Amino acid sequence: MPRQLLSSIAFAAATLTSCAVPEPARSQADGAEARYVEASSLLTSDEHRRTEVLTSVELHEISAEDVETLIQGELPANVRVARTGQSDALLLQGPGEQVVAAIEVVRRLDAR
């Protein structure tokens, strides 16, 4: 192959790679895609209760590190917790109905 053609292919591949959209989060349990849903929507609607969701919960009185430590024993089995780069938010992922229960636990801990 001519050198110019190889350069063009390499450039096209690099461009596609740099423009790639990240894949949605996946559940470790069943491989289902998690959809980001605002916590307020999860609490007020049944639309996502049976799907895999990812949400963030803002904290006001306690740090994400403290909540993460305190919540471990109270979490529904299929909900995963992660901290963001900030200390005032927590990420929750799992089945919608169980994430709703976890949001309620986080809010109760944050209100102490």
Side-chain angles (χ1 to χ4, degrees):
M1 284 185 145
R3 179 172 245 164
Q4 185 177 8
L5 181 58
L6 287 174
S7 295
S8 296
I9 292 171
F11 177 76
T15 303
L16 287 174
T17 304
S18 67
C19 296
V21 176
E23 288 187 34
R26 293 192 176 271
S27 165
Q28 293 175 356
D30 62 7
E33 289 184 8
R35 170 181 231 156
Y36 183 83
V37 180
E38 293 289 333
S40 57
S41 294
L42 283 171
L43 294 170
T44 59
S45 169
D46 290 338
E47 181 181 353
H48 301 288
R49 295 275 174 128
R50 298 202 190 305
T51 60
E52 185 78 12
V53 297
L54 172 68
T55 194
S56 60
V57 179
E58 287 186 44
L59 303 169
H60 304 284
E61 303 297 326
I62 192 169
S63 74
E65 182 178 1
D66 291 340
V67 171
E68 188 178 26
T69 301
L70 293 170
I71 199 173
Q72 291 305 319
E74 298 185 52
L75 272 181
N78 294 324
V79 175
R80 288 163 304 287
V81 177
R83 286 181 271 157
T84 64
Q86 309 164 2
S87 63
D88 62 348
L90 200 65
L91 296 174
L92 301 170
Q93 181 180 345
E97 196 167 89
Q98 293 179 15
V99 170
V100 168
I103 291 169
E104 291 168 352
V105 171
V106 169
R107 289 190 170 172
R108 189 177 71 242
L109 290 171
D110 191 36
R112 287 185 179 171

